[in-house]
Structure formats: structure tokens, C-alpha cells
């Protein structure tokens, strides 16, 4: 039994009409990148895409497509000659893989209306043949556990039964670019991946304060970027900002209970400037209403006052256990909970203000000239991306 | 003992050069898969060069060497700056690849003024201050002088030029790389040449803060951001990136070792009345005069002992005029005419230095009767 195609069903692309072509082109590019290691042929049509497998294993190709944004589901497909015998053999082959007592149904689509058998004839013929040859099964046309799909086309008959759900959403790159504030905690990677679902390309910004924060903490954030990149097929660029000087200045000059607010404000100022540099149209973070002192409504108000950029907070109203479940599903959780302190936890004030007042914060901040330090931090940004890292590895022996 | 003229490539560098020629011989501008892989290697090499030079905010253009880098910098920046002023300041210690292109730019209506040198072979900062005015748009000073090894106050010059935002400051770092660490981050452009730090010949780089101030001086297919056309010498560039890394890794150890060699030679020649040694900058370069003899005679005499040194800057040593650098430092004619340059590298060993000292003493005895 040989599968020779993978059928790719589109997610939200199907809601698009006049600009659908642009979305399909983006998805084609992303699929191409995800399938770079395979020797396959890709044909993206108006309503679905087909991948011709050649000698590649269908399972591995589907694994590679599973997390490509914009794909609703994939199925391995067998293409047969247009004969009854071929249909019967294939149907029984599929059915042998079903469990004891499972229910099934035969679904038929006749794209080629000239075929000598009608829909109902094919259903009856195959249903009966399967029941005769695989006695462990039953038919259920309302809620079957398995559907054997038959598509009659001019060039052959296509059959499949397995449908693997994928991530859905829109292809990355169709929704512009945003800058994700990535701390290394549980929430921010999830926030990034949620936004990416909507086709937004992400670059990430991380603040580290050596020697107060360890190299392992930075390594952990790089690992998160690796996981996110691998999952989405996008090469996410990480910008690592040296924050020690600003952090210690804040610590020395701003009253303890307001230091957290100022820290966040300066981070947001730096994020906004970087966003402009990389042509990002929004800033994304993992803030969750009321989770910690800096994420109360009053704190968000005081912190947000430094920027006019849209700040997207996709996790705003979720419960922590929901976010954890999402992180586990995305595969970021295990890395996020590694016990390395980031710069926010190390300089944590004893009792941060939960209701900071903008005017007061500004008054204290006006006593210090943060500008040159902000410029210096921006100039000292180090970049990291999976591609770069892989390239470095590949060329290490030469350079 | 002529490592300021050129150096022997490290074995690892030659491995890279051969391997890249074998496996990545594709044109980096090709759009097929193999060309793209080659382009990736080129970019990785570029990043490594930029990182090792400490020039994170600069772009890097691969060239055929420092001569071409200096030419691109001087010609294109001056033309770009013409609306703002027409004067360039260059130290009188510069290498001909800077001096000669500067002189040629006079034909295009630019003025060249020379910053005087002190007797220790460094630029006279006071004189630089006097020369700076509103018409100055370009200043260039080398990081390390190739004749005597004097280390120029690059960071200090950057500090002074901060008050002249219109001025483009170019540094020819050819002789400094692998010998001393210099903070070039404030310089607007920097030239390097691979063969001076154990890379292969025919490759160098020009790093620039504002790449848009640079433009082509030779025209072609638009490689290297349209600044340096011609199929990119990827094997050379990758080999240069590797040579730079190895040079950087061994810098501290070799500096200490070479400084000891420098002292040994000075001590061995101490008390030879006709021998005059120029003040030291980097320990790798020593300029020694056998006053009363011709430099050429000393070079040939040392050659018969299998010791190879040079008279002046090797590229120009066939010119029979007095060396500009030594003249600028206020040396007399006999001292300049009798000067030779001995230059060590990270690969110079104890035994070679011993042989050098023996040969120097022997030559001094051989030609002693012409020495006054």
C-alpha cells in the first residue's frame, strides 16, 4: 500500500477571496521552508495543496507540516487507477487498521461526473465489501469513528481516511511583523506563538543583566526561540539587550516600590525603538491581567504611557492553568520552568506598587538622565537566530 | 624577519582556503542552492571579521587588500563629502596606498594637508588640532606604522574628532591586526589586509560605519553592495576570517614573547656605536640603522646569513628616495640611508632570534670599517 500524496487543507485562507492569492503564496513559501529537507513536489491550488511524495515517508512529511501556520489539516492520500478492484483493495487495507468494533462510513466525491458508477453505487459497493472482509467493523453513517474518503477525478481515484489536525490560522508573514518581549517565563513564548497563529511574523527582544543574570538564563531564552522557530518553521530573530547599567541605575535612583514600574517603562522605550528599527508594527508581551504587580490595570496604564505603539497582550484574560496547558502543548513549558533567574526577578522590589501614578513615576525618573544609557543599550544589542546558529555550526570547522 | 612585508599563512588557514575552493567554489551571487550556500559562508565570514574587529556597528566589504580598501575609502568618501568641504588631513607617516591616492585627489580639486609626526613616530596631536577647520571632511591615520612600528593614538584622535561631526575618520589598521588590540569602534572606516596576519594574499576588507558614504571606484556586476564588483574571493575571505580568529586568540601570548625578542635584540646591539635603533612601538617591528652603511648593503649581508629583512616599506623599497617616515621623525640622512627593518610575527621562535642576533653582530663586524 503506497501513499503517494499529502493533501493539505487550508485554514483561515478559505475566508479570503480577493487577496487569497497573496495568502496562498505566503503559505507556499512557508511550506517550502518546512519541507526543505524533503525531495517532494508542492502544488498549491485555490482551495487546497497537494504534495507529491516521491520516495519520502508520508508520516515524516506530515510531521513537518503539522505546525505550519495556515494549514487546517493534512491527509496521506493514495492515488489509484479508476477501477472497482483498486478501490475495494484500498478500502479493505484502510479498514484493517481500524480497531475492534469501530464504526465507519464511506464518503464519495465525484469531481468527474462522467464516471460510470454513481456516488451511491460506490458507497454501497465499498461498504459491503469492507463489511464482508473486515468483520470486526460496523457501519455508522451519522457519527462514524472513521471515514473512508473516495474522490473520483479524471486522472484517477484518490482515497484516504486519516485526517491529521494542524495548527490552522494564517500563514506567517501575511500579518506584518511584531516585536515580542521574551522574558524566559511561561507566558511570553505562548503569547508570541498565539500572535504568530494570526500570520504575524515575530522578532523577539530579551533583556539580560550580566553578571546578575546568568549565561544560562540567556541560553534558556535562546532555547525558547529555537523551540518557537522549529515549531512554526519561521526563523525568529532574537535581540539580546544589555540591561545591567540601566537596571543598577534604577535600583540606585528610583524608590524601591516604583523601581519595577520604571524598569518596565524603560524596557518598553527600548522595545519601541527596536521595533521601529526592525519595521515591527506592534509590541507583543505575555501580560496577564492581575497576575503580578506590574500587570494590574493601573500598572499597565503607567507603563504603557511611554509608547504609542500598539501593545498586544494575547493572554490578557486567561487563567494561569490555561496558559500552562498551552505552553505544554506548544512544547515551551519544560524550558520555561528551568530555574534561571531573569533580570525582572533578581531586582524584584520587596513590595512593588500595584497602583503606580504616572506623574509620580515621571517625577522620580526626571532626576536621572537615562537617555545615553538607553542609546548604549540599543547599540550593544546582540542578535541570535536558529539559522545563524546552524550556520555557525556548519562553518565552524572552516572559520 | 620581514613579517611586516607579509606573513606565512597559518596551516589551518591554508586548509580553509583549499577546502572552500573544493566545496564552496560557487559564485556567491548565483541564485541556485550551491550559490546560496556559498553566500551563507561569505556572510558568516563577514560577521566573524566584524565581530573580531569589535566593529558591531560597521558593515564590511571584502576587497583585494588594504591598498584597494584605502583607495575606495579615500576616493569615494571625498567625492561624497565634496559639497561640505575639500580638505583632507593625512599623517606624513602614511603608507603610499594612502599618500598616493590622496595626492591624486588633488586633480579633483581637493586639498591635502599633512599632519606632522613627533620624533617617536607618532602623529603630533597639537598639529592635528591646528589643521582642523571647517573645510576638513576627511582625516586618515594608520593604527601602526609599517616602518618603525609606532602606535598611533587612534582613540585620542576619535575623541578630538567628536567635535567635528562632518569629518570622516579613516584608519589603516593593516599593521595593527594580530599585534595589538585597538578600539576602532569610533572610526568611520577601517582597512585590513589578510596577508599581514597569516591569511592569504589578495584579500582584505574595508569596514565602514555608514556604508552609504562609500561608492564604487571600479565598475562591474555590483557585488559587495555595489562597492566592490567582481566575483567575490570567498576562499580568501573565509581564510581571512579564520586567520583573524587565530591571530586574535594568540595575540596576548605572542605579544609577550615578541616583546622579549625585541629586548634581546636591543640588548645584543647595545654598545655598537654605529647602530641606532628607532624608538619602539609594537615589539614586532624594529627599525635599526647601521649609520654610514647603505641599508641595502646590510640587507644583502644579512641575506648571506639566510636572514631576510627589508630596507623600508617592502612595497616601495625599490624606490631610491629617503624614507618618508624616518624623515618625518627628524632622522638624519645617514641614519635613514643605513636603516633596515626587522619584523617578527607570532610564528617567530627563539632559535630564529638567536640566529638573527648572531648574524647582526657578524654583519656589524664585516662592514665595520665603513661605519663611522
Amino acid at each position: 500500500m503506497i501513499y503517494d500524496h499529502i493533501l493539505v487543507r487550508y485554514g483561515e485562507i478559505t475566508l479570503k477571496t480577493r487577496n487569497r492569492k497573496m495568502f496562498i503564496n505566503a503559505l507556499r513559501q512557508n511550506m517550502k521552508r518546512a519541507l526543505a529537507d524533503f525531495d517532494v513536489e508542492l502544488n498549491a491550488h485555490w482551495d487546497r495543496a497537494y504534495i507529491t511524495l516521491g520516495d519520502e515517508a508520508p508520516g515524516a512529511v506530515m510531521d513537518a507540516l503539522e505546525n505550519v501556520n495556515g494549514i487546517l489539516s493534512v491527509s496521506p492520500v493514495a492515488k489509484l487507477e479508476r477501477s472497482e478492484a483498486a478501490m475495494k483493495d484500498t478500502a479493505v487495507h484502510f479498514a484493517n487498521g481500524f480497531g475492534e468494533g469501530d464504526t465507519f462510513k464511506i464518503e464519495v466525491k465525484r469531481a468527474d461526473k462522467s464516471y460510470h458508477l454513481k456516488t451511491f453505487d460506490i458507497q454501497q459497493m465499498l461498504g459491503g465489501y469492507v463489511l464482508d472482509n473486515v468483520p470486526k467493523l460496523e457501519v455508522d453513517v451519522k457519527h462514524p469513528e472513521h471515514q473512508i474518503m473516495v474522490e473520483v477525478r479524471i486522472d484517477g481515484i484518490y482515497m484516504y481516511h486519516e485526517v491529521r489536525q494542524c495548527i490552522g490560522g494564517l500563514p506567517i508573514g501575511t500579518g506584518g511583523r511584531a516585536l515580542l518581549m521574551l522574558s524566559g517565563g511561561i507566558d511570553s513564548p505562548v503569547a508570541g506563538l498565539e500572535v504568530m497563529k494570526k500570520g504575524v511574523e515575530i522578532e523577539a527582544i530579551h533583556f539580560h543583566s550580566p553578571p546578575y543574570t546568568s549565561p544560562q538564563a540567556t541560553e534558556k531564552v535562546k532555547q525558547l526561540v529555537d523551540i518557537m522557530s522549529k515549531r512554526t518553521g519561521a526563523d525568529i530573530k532574537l535581540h539580546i539587550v544589555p540591561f545591567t547599567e540601566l537596571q543598577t541605575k534604577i535600583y540606585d535612583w528610583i524608590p524601591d516600590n516604583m523601581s519595577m514600574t520604571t524598569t518596565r517603562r524603560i524596557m518598553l522605550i527600548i522595545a519601541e525603538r527596536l521595533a521601529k528599527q526592525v519595521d515591527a508594527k506592534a509590541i507583543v508581551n505575555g501580560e496577564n491581567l492581575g497576575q503580578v504587580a506590574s500587570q494590574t490595570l493601573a500598572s499597565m496604564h503607567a507603563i504603557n504611557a511611554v509608547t504609542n505603539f500598539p501593545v498586544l497582550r494575547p493572554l490578557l484574560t486567561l487563567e494561569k492553568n490555561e496558559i500552562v496547558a498551552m505552553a505544554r502543548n506548544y512544547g515551551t513549558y519544560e524550558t520555561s520552568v528551568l530555574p534561571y533567574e531573569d533580570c525582572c526577578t533578581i531586582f524584584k522590589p520587596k513590595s512593588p506598587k500595584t497602583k503606580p501614578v504616572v506623574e509620580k513615576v515621571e517625577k522620580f525618573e526626571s532626576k536621572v538622565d537615562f537617555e545615553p544609557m538607553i542609546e548604549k543599550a540599543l547599540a550593544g544589542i546582540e542578535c541570535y537566530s536558529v539559522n545563524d546558529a546552524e550556520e555557525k555550526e556548519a562553518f565552524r570547522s572552516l572559520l | 624577519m620581514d613579517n611586516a612585508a607579509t606573513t606565512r599563512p597559518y596551516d589551518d588557514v591554508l586548509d580553509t582556503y583549499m577546502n572552500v575552493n573544493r566545496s564552496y567554489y560557487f559564485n556567491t551571487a548565483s541564485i541556485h542552492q550551491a550559490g546560496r550556500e556559498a553566500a551563507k559562508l561569505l556572510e558568516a565570514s563577514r560577521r566573524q571579521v566584524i565581530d573580531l574587529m569589535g566593529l558591531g556597528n560597521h558593515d564590511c566589504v571584502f576587497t583585494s587588500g588594504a591598498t584597494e580598501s584605502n583607495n575606495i575609502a579615500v576616493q569615494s568618501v571625498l567625492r561624497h563629502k565634496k559639497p561640505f568641504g575639500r580638505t583632507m588631513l593625512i599623517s606624513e607617516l602614511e603608507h603610499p596606498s594612502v599618500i598616493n591616492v590622496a595626492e591624486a585627489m588633488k586633480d579633483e580639486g581637493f586639498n591635502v594637508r599633512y599632519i606632522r609626526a613627533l620624533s617617536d613616530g607618532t602623529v603630533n596631536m597639537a598639529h592635528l588640532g591646528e589643521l582642523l577647520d571647517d573645510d576638513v571632511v576627511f582625516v586618515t591615520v594608520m593604527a601602526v606604522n609599517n616602518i618603525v612600528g609606532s602606535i598611533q593614538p587612534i582613540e585620542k584622535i576619535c575623541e578630538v574628532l567628536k567635535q567635528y561631526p562632518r569629518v570622516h575618520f579613516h584608519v589603516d589598521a593593516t599593521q595593527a591586526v594580530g599585534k595589538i588590540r585597538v578600539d576602532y569602534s569610533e572610526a568611520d572606516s577601517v582597512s585590513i589586509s589578510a596577508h599581514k596576519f597569516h591569511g592569504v594574499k589578495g584579500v582584505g576588507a574595508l569596514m565602514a560605519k555608514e556604508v552609504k558614504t562609500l561608492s564604487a571606484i571600479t565598475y562591474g556586476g555590483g557585488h559587495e553592495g555595489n562597492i566592490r564588483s567582481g566575483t567575490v574571493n570567498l576562499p580568501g575571505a573565509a581564510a581571512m576570517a579564520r586567520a583573524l580568529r587565530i591571530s586574535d586568540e594568540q595575540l596576548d601570548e605572542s605579544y609577550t614573547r615578541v616583546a622579549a625578542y625585541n629586548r634581546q635584540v636591543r640588548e645584543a646591539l647595545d654598545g655598537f656605536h654605529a647602530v641606532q635603533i628607532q624608538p619602539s612601538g609594537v615589539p614586532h617591528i624594529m627599525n635599526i640603522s647601521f649609520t654610514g652603511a647603505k641599508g641595502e648593503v646590510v640587507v644583502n649581508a644579512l641575506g648571506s646569513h639566510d636572514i631576510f629583512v627589508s630596507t623600508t616599506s617592502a612595497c616601495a623599497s625599490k624606490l631610491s628616495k629617503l624614507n618618508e617616515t624616518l624623515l618625518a621623525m627628524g632622522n638624519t640622512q645617514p641614519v635613514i640611508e643605513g636603516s633596515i627593518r626587522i619584523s617578527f610575527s607570532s610564528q617567530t621562535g627563539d632559535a630564529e632570534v638567536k640566529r638573527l642576533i648572531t648574524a647582526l653582530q657578524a654583519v656589524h663586524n664585516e662592514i665595520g670599517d665603513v661605519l663611522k
Side-chain angles (χ1 to χ4, degrees):
Chain A
M1 173 68 232
I2 292 190
Y3 286 121
D4 39 18
H5 290 79
I6 301 289
L7 164 64
V8 178
R9 297 178 196 79
Y10 298 153
E12 289 177 40
I13 291 180
T14 50
L15 305 174
K16 310 290 171 195
T17 46
R18 283 196 314 206
N19 55 357
R20 189 187 288 200
K21 221 173 172 155
M22 183 266 286
F23 287 91
I24 291 172
N25 283 339
L27 180 61
R28 186 191 292 118
Q29 285 307 322
N30 296 348
M31 284 198 282
K32 247 189 171 152
R33 220 188 352 240
L35 297 171
D37 298 341
F38 297 96
D39 186 15
V40 291
E41 192 186 317
L42 169 63
N43 288 300
H45 305 292
W46 182 252
D47 51 352
R48 49 176 46 178
Y50 283 102
I51 289 150
T52 312
L53 287 171
D55 296 333
E56 300 288 358
V61 171
M62 289 198 293
D63 288 347
L65 293 173
E66 201 169 10
N67 296 310
V68 173
N69 295 65
I71 298 177
L72 184 67
S73 64
V74 290
S75 295
V77 179
K79 184 182 176 184
L80 332 164
E81 58 177 51
R82 297 172 25 131
S83 74
E84 292 167 40
M87 278 193 269
K88 283 178 177 171
D89 286 352
T90 307
V92 167
H93 178 87
F94 287 168
N96 279 329
F98 302 163
E100 187 72 43
D102 280 3
T103 57
F104 78 99
K105 174 189 180 182
I106 307 284
E107 274 282 2
V108 179
K109 267 191 196 159
R110 287 197 322 150
D112 173 22
K113 302 293 184 200
S114 67
Y115 192 63
H116 68 282
L117 290 169
K118 297 278 179 285
T119 300
F120 189 67
D121 303 339
I122 299 173
Q123 278 176 323
Q124 272 205 314
M125 171 189 80
L126 290 182
Y129 190 77
V130 168
L131 282 174
D132 289 346
N133 287 281
V134 192
K136 63 179 177 180
L137 302 178
E138 291 169 20
V139 172
D140 178 352
V141 292
K142 288 247 170 13
H143 304 289
E145 283 162 313
H146 304 281
Q147 293 193 43
I148 295 175
M149 311 290 292
V150 182
E151 288 188 16
V152 180
R153 291 173 176 258
I154 297 215
D155 58 340
I157 288 176
Y158 292 79
M159 284 181 69
Y160 59 93
H161 70 93
E162 187 188 334
V163 176
R164 199 191 292 194
Q165 288 306 316
C166 297
I167 204 166
L170 288 166
I172 291 171
T174 56
R177 185 178 297 148
L179 184 67
L180 169 70
M181 299 176 82
L182 192 62
S183 66
I186 297 168
D187 301 355
S188 46
V190 176
L193 287 159
E194 283 296 297
V195 172
M196 288 177 92
K197 251 194 203 167
K198 285 296 179 191
V200 175
E201 188 189 338
I202 287 281
E203 293 198 14
I205 181 170
H206 173 71
F207 297 87
H208 74 157
S209 301
Y212 303 105
T213 55
S214 64
Q216 287 94 328
T218 311
E219 216 40 54
K220 170 174 131 175
V221 174
K222 287 180 181 173
Q223 272 174 27
L224 286 169
V225 167
D226 289 355
I227 295 167
M228 294 166 73
S229 297
K230 206 177 165 81
R231 194 180 165 85
T232 55
D235 186 37
I236 300 169
K237 204 167 178 184
L238 171 68
H239 303 264
I240 302 164
V241 185
F243 203 62
T244 316
E245 197 185 6
L246 282 156
Q247 191 108 54
T248 45
K249 198 80 178 174
I250 294 166
Y251 188 75
D252 291 343
W253 281 84
I254 307 289
D256 187 55
N257 61 3
M258 288 205 195
S259 61
M260 182 271 308
T261 309
T262 297
T263 304
R264 289 284 186 293
R265 280 162 61 92
I266 287 173
M267 283 178 174
L268 199 50
I269 289 169
I270 292 173
E272 182 193 282
R273 292 194 197 172
L274 179 65
K276 282 179 184 158
Q277 278 177 29
V278 303
D279 196 28
K281 296 289 183 257
I283 292 164
V284 181
N285 65 30
E287 284 181 348
N288 176 261
L289 205 47
Q291 188 180 103
V292 288
S294 65
Q295 298 178 18
T296 62
L297 216 41
S299 276
M300 280 186 200
H301 177 80
I303 293 163
N304 223 126
V306 299
T307 181
N308 292 325
F309 261 60
V311 178
L312 312 179
R313 301 177 175 85
L315 311 183
L316 192 70
T317 58
L318 296 176
E319 291 295 318
K320 189 72 189 186
N321 56 6
E322 287 176 307
I323 301 171
V324 167
M326 289 161 93
R328 284 189 193 279
N329 175 36
Y330 279 137
T332 55
Y333 181 81
E334 297 304 328
T335 307
S336 283
V337 295
L338 291 171
Y340 306 119
E341 302 260 358
D342 66 40
C343 58
C344 304
T345 46
I346 284 185
F347 286 83
K348 198 163 56 187
K350 284 182 203 57
S351 54
K353 272 210 176 308
T354 53
K355 293 179 183 160
V357 178
V358 176
E359 291 73 19
K360 270 195 178 165
V361 176
E362 283 173 347
K363 198 184 91 188
F364 284 111
E365 286 174 6
S366 66
K367 293 186 168 61
V368 194
D369 183 11
F370 288 114
E371 186 53 34
M373 286 178 264
I374 290 173
E375 280 301 315
K376 211 165 136 189
L378 278 159
I381 284 179
E382 272 177 59
C383 284
Y384 166 86
S385 82
V386 185
N387 269 7
D388 285 358
E390 280 173 359
E391 239 167 72
K392 262 201 183 121
E393 193 50 46
F395 298 136
R396 187 192 298 265
S397 63
L398 291 170
L399 302 178
Chain B
M1 295 295 166
D2 194 14
N3 288 284
T6 194
T7 54
R8 193 183 61 178
Y10 292 125
D11 289 347
D12 284 352
V13 166
L14 291 176
D15 286 348
T16 291
Y17 188 73
M18 293 306 285
N19 289 336
V20 175
N21 265 309
R22 255 185 225 112
S23 313
Y24 296 89
Y25 61 85
F26 311 98
N27 191 328
T28 52
S30 300
I31 56 172
H32 48 63
Q33 183 65 28
R36 286 205 302 273
E37 278 304 306
K40 275 186 188 169
L41 175 57
L42 181 69
E43 292 318 308
S45 309
R46 198 188 308 276
R47 261 199 308 279
Q48 182 159 313
V49 169
I50 285 171
D51 288 348
L52 287 168
M53 290 295 293
L55 292 172
N57 289 332
H58 288 58
D59 283 309
C60 163
V61 175
F62 287 115
T63 63
S64 64
T67 294
E68 187 180 25
S69 296
N70 289 335
N71 266 272
I72 294 173
V74 172
Q75 291 184 49
S76 63
V77 174
L78 277 181
R79 286 168 194 152
H80 181 82
K81 297 265 185 188
K82 203 165 184 172
F84 308 105
R86 298 194 169 201
T87 302
M88 70 181 291
L89 309 182
I90 76 174
S91 82
E92 49 186 357
L93 306 162
E94 294 308 291
H95 187 268
S97 68
V98 171
I99 290 184
N100 292 338
V101 63
E103 286 293 326
M105 291 308 278
K106 286 179 175 175
D107 296 343
E108 294 187 29
F110 292 98
N111 316 311
V112 182
R113 295 194 206 139
Y114 288 91
I115 313 162
R116 283 200 294 271
L118 301 168
S119 60
D120 65 357
T122 62
V123 289
N124 183 332
M125 292 295 288
H127 190 231
L128 168 66
E130 288 165 34
L131 292 176
L132 279 164
D133 62 28
D134 283 351
D135 196 54
V136 175
V137 287
F138 192 93
V139 174
T140 179
V141 176
M142 60 194 356
V144 167
N145 175 269
N146 52 309
I147 306 297
V148 293
S150 53
I151 302 168
Q152 304 304 332
I154 297 299
E155 284 119 346
K156 271 190 201 154
I157 297 172
C158 288
E159 206 50 48
V160 169
L161 293 179
K162 271 185 182 163
Q163 293 154 36
Y164 298 86
R166 205 185 280 167
V167 171
H168 179 106
F169 181 40
H170 175 69
V171 179
D172 177 358
T174 306
Q175 289 290 0
V177 179
K179 299 188 180 97
I180 49 162
R181 285 197 175 86
V182 180
D183 179 2
Y184 302 104
S185 58
E186 296 291 333
D188 295 294
S189 55
V190 181
S191 296
I192 61 171
S193 200
H195 76 100
K196 301 284 192 190
F197 49 89
H198 310 280
V200 294
K201 288 165 187 64
V203 61
L206 172 61
M207 280 147 282
K209 222 185 230 175
E210 297 274 345
V211 85
K212 63 176 184 289
T213 57
L214 303 178
S215 54
I217 57 170
T218 51
Y219 295 89
H223 303 76
E224 291 297 279
N226 216 359
I227 290 159
R228 204 283 183 180
S229 284
T231 300
V232 181
N233 177 2
L234 174 60
M240 174 164 78
R242 186 163 200 178
L244 191 55
R245 182 172 61 78
I246 300 170
S247 298
D248 188 70
E249 283 166 358
Q250 57 71 46
L251 193 146
D252 298 320
E253 178 277 326
S254 78
Y255 185 94
T256 313
R257 195 161 38 86
V258 171
Y261 296 153
N262 188 308
R263 276 195 304 277
Q264 283 169 30
V265 174
R266 279 171 193 272
E267 281 161 16
L269 298 180
D270 196 25
F272 286 21
H273 68 277
V275 172
Q276 187 176 329
I277 307 182
Q278 298 294 334
S280 188
V282 289
H284 306 69
I285 298 178
M286 299 185 73
N287 196 295
I288 298 177
S289 296
F290 285 68
T291 316
K294 286 267 183 290
E296 201 178 323
V297 173
V298 182
V299 169
N300 291 335
L302 284 169
S304 66
H305 292 264
D306 278 347
I307 299 285
F308 307 129
V309 300
S310 87
T311 46
T312 58
S313 175
C315 324
S317 56
K318 292 193 175 65
L319 302 176
S320 59
K321 60 176 191 178
L322 287 182
N323 184 279
E324 305 269 359
T325 298
L326 295 170
L327 203 56
M329 289 166 70
N331 286 293
T332 57
Q333 189 171 338
V335 168
I336 299 174
E337 284 183 341
S339 76
I340 58 162
R341 181 187 65 187
I342 297 167
S343 42
F344 307 118
S345 86
S346 62
Q347 294 173 315
T348 307
D350 298 358
E352 289 170 293
V353 178
K354 248 196 205 106
R355 276 181 51 208
L356 166 73
I357 289 170
T358 311
L360 279 169
Q361 290 165 335
V363 167
H364 186 267
N365 295 338
E366 286 160 26
I367 59 173
D369 41 356
V370 300
L371 303 176
K372 297 177 186 65

